[in-house]
Amino acid sequence: MATEINLNNSEEFQEMIERKDFTIAKAVVESILANLNGRKKFVHVLSVNCLEEASTFDITLERKYFAETLQENLKYYVEQELYEDCSKIVEAINTLKEKETHGSKSKDKRDKGVY
């Protein structure tokens, strides 16, 4: 389930992004970790409800960007000194990179007609 953030307007969300609010990093990381073994190509990570504008922004992430997004958000967990979570993130990054490597080898074999 994606995290929901209720704000007055989209400017408040932009301010959160600019100040690198940990709430956003946490929502993104938790969604990725919860969907590591899923099959969906895109994962819903965050819903931002702008009350004054009566609008909702749904933010999704393509699975192929999971590892680099986790890597990018790891620094925010380090800043917060959430080291146990950091180790989970690093483990997930390694798992994703391992899957990429094995997936590429399998694809290469299929392309060459080797099974």
Side-chain angles (χ1 to χ4, degrees), residues 3-114:
T3 300
E4 282 194 33
I5 298 175
N6 295 312
L7 302 170
N8 290 320
N9 51 52
S10 57
E11 287 81 22
E12 284 186 8
F13 183 58
Q14 185 61 40
E15 289 170 9
M16 287 179 76
I17 293 169
E18 289 171 5
R19 70 174 184 267
K20 298 178 179 4
D21 191 296
F22 183 70
T23 305
I24 297 170
K26 186 173 191 249
V28 170
V29 168
E30 287 178 352
S31 292
I32 292 172
L33 294 178
N35 288 283
L36 276 179
N37 297 316
R39 294 197 165 269
K40 291 182 180 178
K41 184 174 181 176
F42 293 91
V43 174
H44 182 205
V45 295
L46 183 66
S47 288
V48 181
N49 301 311
C50 299
L51 305 176
E52 291 174 0
E53 300 162 3
S55 60
T56 300
F57 298 97
D58 289 319
I59 299 168
T60 61
L61 179 64
E62 192 171 355
R63 183 171 297 283
K64 69 180 180 179
Y65 297 113
F66 276 12
E68 71 183 73
T69 302
L70 286 172
Q71 187 69 50
E72 179 64 30
N73 285 283
L74 180 59
K75 62 186 170 195
Y76 303 116
Y77 277 77
V78 172
E79 288 172 5
Q80 296 290 319
E81 298 181 2
L82 298 170
Y83 301 120
E84 190 172 313
D85 290 329
C86 288
S87 67
K88 290 177 187 174
I89 294 169
V90 169
E91 185 178 317
I93 292 168
N94 292 337
T95 298
L96 289 165
K97 287 184 177 180
E98 187 176 305
K99 283 182 183 178
E100 272 181 27
T101 302
H102 290 303
S104 295
K105 288 180 182 176
S106 295
K107 185 181 181 305
D108 289 344
K109 288 180 181 178
R110 285 192 303 270
D111 291 344
K112 294 176 182 175
V114 177

